[in-house]
Amino acid sequence: MTRIKRGCIARRRRTKIRLFASSFRGSHSRLTRTITQQKIRALVSAHRDRDKQKINFRRLWITRINAVIREGGVFYSYSKLIHDLYNNQLLLNRKILAQMAISNRNCFYMISNEIRKKVDWKESTGII
């Protein structure tokens, strides 16, 4: 059986991996085996942190909404606001509510006051 020369293909594969790890420090950007290990590790971290980023942003939005809501009403909180929003079928997501709370507080207060009025009216008339 004749000898197969595959240097070109292997080198192409290694350079493709090296391009990914070119910004890594030390042997992580020089040694092929270490490069592949670090590439796997980097991709796993990127995947995990994409999910973590969504969780962190949701937490930030909830904190902002809660802070603004508690300024306006003494006995009103984030959980009551969201509950009343869903009961009134006013579907605004947390991102939009947080942006309104930061940039346009008057509009946010108007929405929360209207919802509170509807809830108070329903409770006083006995409709729930």
Side-chain angles (χ1 to χ4, degrees):
M1 185 178 277
T2 57
R3 180 171 165 240
I4 299 169
K5 297 180 180 180
R6 54 181 298 267
C8 174
I9 296 163
R11 187 168 52 250
R12 201 177 308 145
R13 178 175 52 84
R14 286 190 206 108
T15 50
K16 194 164 60 174
I17 295 170
R18 284 214 167 100
L19 284 173
F20 180 85
S22 62
S23 62
F24 296 173
R25 291 182 63 182
S27 63
H28 297 307
S29 65
R30 290 187 189 92
L31 305 177
T32 306
R33 187 178 296 174
T34 321
I35 287 173
T36 45
Q37 290 171 355
Q38 288 303 308
K39 179 182 177 184
I40 291 168
R41 185 174 178 163
L43 293 174
V44 165
S45 296
H47 184 267
R48 180 195 63 225
D49 292 339
R50 272 196 300 276
D51 292 338
K52 200 70 174 167
Q53 185 183 31
K54 293 177 182 74
I55 293 167
N56 287 339
F57 268 108
R58 181 185 164 99
R59 185 184 297 163
L60 175 70
W61 297 330
I62 289 172
T63 307
R64 286 179 174 172
I65 295 167
N66 197 19
V68 173
I69 275 295
R70 285 180 188 268
E71 281 179 10
V74 180
F75 298 111
Y76 210 58
S77 65
Y78 165 80
S79 59
K80 290 178 185 174
L81 173 76
I82 295 295
H83 177 73
D84 294 342
L85 280 172
Y86 276 100
N87 283 348
N88 289 311
Q89 296 175 345
L90 183 63
L91 301 176
L92 292 171
N93 62 12
R94 287 158 183 85
K95 180 180 178 181
I96 299 299
L97 285 171
Q99 285 177 352
M100 284 173 33
I102 296 295
S103 63
N104 197 354
R105 283 195 183 184
N106 292 335
C107 181
F108 186 73
Y109 283 140
M110 278 177 33
I111 290 172
S112 64
N113 289 336
E114 286 295 320
I115 290 169
R116 264 192 266 180
K117 284 178 189 173
K118 286 183 182 178
V119 170
D120 291 340
W121 179 79
K122 284 181 182 177
E123 286 176 358
S124 65
T125 56
I127 301 171
I128 290 182

